Amino acid sequence: TMSLREHALSLFRGAVGTVRPAPMLKRALKLQGDGCPQLLVKGQAFPVKRDLYLVGFGKAVLGMAAAAEEILGDRLTRGIINVPLGIQESLQRAGMQEMLLKPHSKIQVIEGAKNNLPDAEALKGAVAIQELAEGLTADDLLLVLISGRGGSALLPAPIPPILLEEKETLTKLLASRGAAIQELNIVRKTLSVLKGGGLAQLAHPARVVSLILSDVIGDPLDIIASGPTAASSHSVQDCLQILTKYNLLHNLPESVEMVLSSSPTKPTAPENYSHVSNIILGSNTLALEEAKRQAEGLGYAALVLSAAVRGEVGRVATLYCQLIQLVCLGFTSLRDGPLSDELRGNLLQLAAELQIAGLELDEFLQALRGLGPARAVCILAGGETTVQLQGTGKGGRNQELALRVGLGLHRAQATGASSPQGRCEILFFSGGTDGQDGPTEAAGAFCSPGLVAEALQEGLDVEAFLRNNDSYTFFSQFQGGRHLLVTGLTGTNVMDIQAILIRAV
């Protein structure tokens, strides 16, 4: 029989494969008819009356554009995409030719946003995209490819007279004072020509069709890459409130004050976006559905916990450890005892504190109970956790989460509170769908209940590594790095995927 690790790898690869740019676009996008051709996107038809243009921005857009050009062929008039610096070379080196444009492509590629920060090159690309959009007519169709990760940094076009440096300084000041990513995006959108629906407005009266790869929990259209083709739900008042909250209202650059004082007080009405169709092509939910299908094919009873898991890694690790213990209790005669009740209570409280959107834990636990004893169980989840950095080590949120789950399972075993763990074979993994977890070449890591004890035999102290946020160094040194999940760049990104695999021994 295959090991749990082989099963886990197969699930992860299947999940990532389903949201890779080429298969994703080929499933969703078709061009049909010769006389007056139509672009079919997930069954919706858009007539191509005159010229068909393409623009795009974000980490996964190069692969999306290559697939789109293959589908559109000669119908494509011209395209411009803004992608991260060095990505063409990275994909070339990784042998991922299918993600690269053909030699005589009609799509111009501009690389910029070094270290995911807006720069002069990204601005050059944004200006080129802006000029293309402004020149469109009512008979043209603009296909917009958006990949959430990096999409915002690759589309910087501050409203004149604001300079890119001034906008950046303001963003950094806000971040240093503790502004949340949503707050930063609201300020960025207000000061931007293309974000917050600006690109769609400039392309009017042309038909705009956006194909979106989401890297944000809940797939909110106006947040992914700062929503260049979606009606913004925020006004200049929201921006002013944020600047007031962080005490920045009175030392703004003159150019920013000028733009804010002349900005419309209300956001653009949704009816002004009737020429736009925003279509989510890939998301964490889609990846998890595929992983579930694969798990069932391998004989597991598979359940999806949530595609919106978020919160500090330590808390999320506790949630997973308690879930694992509860499943293991199901394999014993103790499934209805006081320990089971205590675990349920703890889980419900923890889930309430983490405020995971759409998580109906009560229903989930009922479904878990209904599986019957001795079924191999696979619990899947996705989202994006956060790490409070305290040390100077090297790691990423997925590796740290796996290490913390390993420690939690070890402690549960040591207290004797979870004797049922001994009746089960358990594997947990967490991986980033882009193949990159933090500044490391790993996508994530695996762990099992014996990890901490085995590490101690090798003279490795898991808790010391965790205190230094040094999960990558730990996994690299432990058993020759075989617990690292290394996939290489995947060319896509829909946040992270976690899986718990349990079978009776």
Side-chain angles (χ1 to χ4, degrees), residues 198-468:
L199 176 60
Q201 290 303 314
L202 290 175
H204 186 270
R207 182 81 208 162
V208 177
V209 180
S210 279
L211 307 183
I212 302 167
L213 184 62
S214 169
D215 71 327
V216 183
I217 283 174
D219 309 331
L221 292 171
D222 66 329
I223 301 290
I224 302 164
S226 301
T229 57
S232 175
S233 49
H234 303 106
S235 67
V236 69
Q237 294 314 116
D238 298 309
C239 178
L240 292 169
Q241 258 173 344
I242 292 163
L243 293 170
T244 307
K245 176 180 169 183
Y246 295 103
N247 216 0
L248 287 168
L249 202 55
H250 301 298
N251 47 2
L252 293 172
E254 208 175 308
S255 59
V256 173
E257 280 185 1
M258 217 166 112
V259 166
L260 289 174
S261 63
S262 61
S263 292
T265 49
K266 288 193 167 65
T268 313
E271 52 269 26
N272 293 358
Y273 289 84
S274 57
H275 64 299
V276 183
S277 298
N278 287 305
I279 299 160
I280 300 269
L281 277 201
S283 65
N284 194 275
T285 303
L286 276 170
L288 288 176
E289 280 168 10
E290 179 57 26
K292 180 175 189 279
R293 217 177 55 77
Q294 302 249 348
E296 286 166 349
L298 291 166
Y300 288 87
L303 295 171
V304 175
L305 178 69
S306 166
V309 172
R310 60 173 190 185
E312 201 274 317
V313 277
R315 316 280 294 141
V316 176
T318 305
L319 180 85
Y320 287 143
C321 286
Q322 293 182 343
L323 259 179
I324 289 167
Q325 291 174 60
L326 197 60
V327 174
C328 287
L329 276 179
F331 287 116
T332 71
S333 54
L334 302 171
R335 63 182 303 176
D336 295 317
L339 180 56
S340 177
D341 295 342
E342 186 190 335
L343 282 168
R344 270 167 212 280
N346 290 346
L347 274 165
L348 289 166
Q349 190 184 335
L350 194 52
E353 285 168 22
L354 284 167
Q355 294 183 325
I356 295 168
L359 172 59
E360 304 294 342
L361 193 62
D362 253 341
E363 283 174 33
F364 182 83
L365 295 177
Q366 280 304 115
L368 208 51
R369 278 185 78 91
L371 295 179
R375 278 293 305 274
V377 175
C378 172
I379 296 174
L380 294 155
E384 207 160 82
T385 56
T386 46
V387 176
Q388 299 284 317
L389 284 177
Q390 268 136 12
T392 55
K394 191 175 181 186
R397 58 180 182 260
N398 290 287
Q399 293 162 82
E400 178 144 343
L401 178 59
L403 198 49
R404 287 187 181 278
V405 168
L407 182 62
L409 294 175
H410 171 76
R411 284 179 175 160
Q413 231 164 4
T415 57
S418 70
S419 52
Q421 259 180 223
R423 306 272 189 97
C424 303
E425 193 186 353
I426 301 163
L427 184 86
F428 172 84
F429 86 82
S430 185
T433 53
D434 61 352
Q436 232 178 345
D437 186 35
T440 75
E441 89 265 7
F446 302 92
C447 78
S448 56
L451 176 115
V452 174
E454 290 164 24
L456 282 170
Q457 288 171 354
E458 291 188 26
L460 299 171
D461 176 355
V462 167
E463 291 182 60
F465 282 100
L466 281 170
R467 276 196 298 276
N468 195 30

Side-chain angles (χ1 to χ4, degrees), residues 86-97 100 489:
I87 193 161
Q88 293 178 98
E89 197 193 329
S90 298
L91 292 170
Q92 190 94 47
R93 268 207 315 270
M96 295 168 82
Q97 298 306 120
L100 296 167
L489 281 181

Side-chain angles (χ1 to χ4, degrees), residues 136-150:
L136 300 177
T137 71
D139 287 338
D140 292 323
L141 193 148
L142 179 66
L143 192 60
V144 184
L145 306 177
I146 301 176
S147 146
R149 189 52 51 102

